[in-house]
Amino acid sequence: MKKLRILALVVAVMFLMSGCSFRLASSVDDLISPVSPFGENMDVSYALDSFVNGGYTLKTPVNGKYRSSFVIYDVDGDGNEESIAFYEPSKNLGTIHMAILRRDSDKNWSVAQDVEGNGSDISEISFCDVTGNGKENIIVSWEVISNKSNHIMTVYELDEKDGKLGLSVIADDILFSYFINADFMGDGTEELLLLNLKTGESSDSKAVLYTLKNSKMKELGQTKLDGNVIAYKNIRAVVEDSQTRIYADGIKNNGSSMITELIFWSDYYDNIISPFYSYSTGVTADTYRTTLVTSRDINGDSRVDIPLDAQIENCPDSISAVNWKSYKNTVLVHSCYSLVNEQDGYILVLPDKQFENIFAEYDEKNSVLSVGDKENNKKSFEIKVVQKSVYAENEEKYSKYVKAFENGAKVCLVKATGESEENMSAKMIADSVTAI
């Protein structure tokens, strides 16, 4: 009887704390649905409660920058923020709605627009000006259950007439795997680059660039990509040499190697190009590597560096030697060398001269990497990763170590051993260690 009373109390508390209508969870996803809103979001929730008849379940974007139940953003640039909410109506399960809420002069929220989405769930929402009118558009990626490798993109435009908010869809919906927005043409208006993975025997992986300037969709160009990529781990847009470039780090179909696709607009070809991709072989070989580390600015020169395989004698299996290269004047140019420890989550950058003469030993059980000079066979330093709780309790034990960084529950420590003639301080080494 006591257990029954406790269970009843738990259910009652769940009901009272719910920001939306209560219903029994039909799956694990329902049990881990977004937490009840609070603060300003509570007011938005009440407004949505009064608008939706029959109850609903809030949906949260699973990708991108905005991953909350209510996205607060000044979409139309008038200085007043709107709130965007995604929800599944209890009366129409399997469909997702997007509601846009605004505040009146009394700061009360109400639903100004509500539309049914094009998928079974919400993948991502983002904002950028793709029409060139100075106002940001709402870009929504809808999940499609029957095809998890692709999404449906809808681009919305807000307008206001006679004090009423209007919401219109620009052009047709687009099927894609990944996307990124960037100003490829340098005119202040962003374009959409869609990356599509190979989905069948006859199809190709490709990138397609679209412009929606003046609210009209037009394809500007496309280029083929490595068809053996099954997913992109990271996609970034950077400006290098006065040119917008996209670096897309793709995981190959063996799951244990990666490549980086470089994509940019070429005035010469009047198209986007991917210079690393080979049309004769159908693969991107120049940026292939066996380490699953993504491209990044590894040496602080504001250029993206791509990690490629390097070699050192008797390198431990859990440690990868990497030759970082950047794209300059149509070729890959060496930037620096490093050791990568994917298991413990860090990158150690080493001077070229030192890298050529190192040996490495790794104690996997204790997460200790020792690096030394192979000419005199003496250790120079060690890098140790410990749990944050252990480090806090045993600070005296690690008094000879210098902290390189903290990442979540882990602390990365460095100690100079003093055995080698290489007189490197622990602080100098710690400054060369970064979290993956």
Side-chain angles (χ1 to χ4, degrees), residues 261-282:
E261 298 282 16
L262 172 60
I263 306 164
F264 55 85
W265 177 264
S266 168
D267 288 332
Y268 180 82
Y269 291 103
D270 195 30
N271 200 351
I272 53 172
I273 62 172
S274 47
F276 298 148
Y277 174 81
S278 170
Y279 276 78
S280 61
T281 63

Side-chain angles (χ1 to χ4, degrees), residues 16-150:
L16 291 173
M17 293 181 65
S18 175
C20 55
S21 299
F22 176 79
R23 67 182 179 90
L24 291 176
S26 59
S27 67
V28 174
D29 289 338
D30 289 332
L31 291 172
I32 58 175
S33 60
V35 295
S36 299
F38 57 90
E40 184 176 38
N41 284 350
M42 182 72 77
D43 296 332
V44 179
S45 178
Y46 288 151
L48 193 60
D49 287 347
S50 62
F51 176 80
V52 182
N53 295 319
Y56 62 90
T57 302
L58 284 173
K59 293 293 183 176
T60 304
V62 296
N63 299 306
K65 179 180 178 180
Y66 304 98
R67 302 189 188 187
S68 59
S69 300
F70 300 102
V71 178
I72 308 294
Y73 195 91
D74 181 11
V75 183
D76 54 10
D78 64 353
N80 299 310
E81 293 178 322
E82 287 78 32
S83 180
I84 301 174
F86 297 94
Y87 67 93
E88 179 185 22
S90 299
K91 290 184 177 181
N92 193 10
L93 297 178
T95 64
I96 305 297
H97 281 240
M98 179 178 73
I100 300 179
L101 300 92
R102 303 181 85 180
R103 282 178 290 200
D104 58 23
S105 58
D106 295 325
K107 303 298 182 182
N108 295 317
W109 288 97
S110 63
V111 176
Q113 281 288 339
D114 182 83
V115 294
E116 183 176 332
N118 293 323
S120 55
D121 216 328
I122 170 66
S123 172
E124 182 177 351
I125 181 172
S126 59
F127 308 92
C128 65
D129 179 13
V130 294
T131 62
N133 65 0
K135 296 182 180 181
E136 296 194 71
N137 302 95
I138 304 172
I139 301 177
V140 179
S141 302
W142 305 100
E143 292 277 7
V144 184
I145 286 181
S146 60
N147 191 349
K148 278 294 184 180
S149 63
N150 283 310

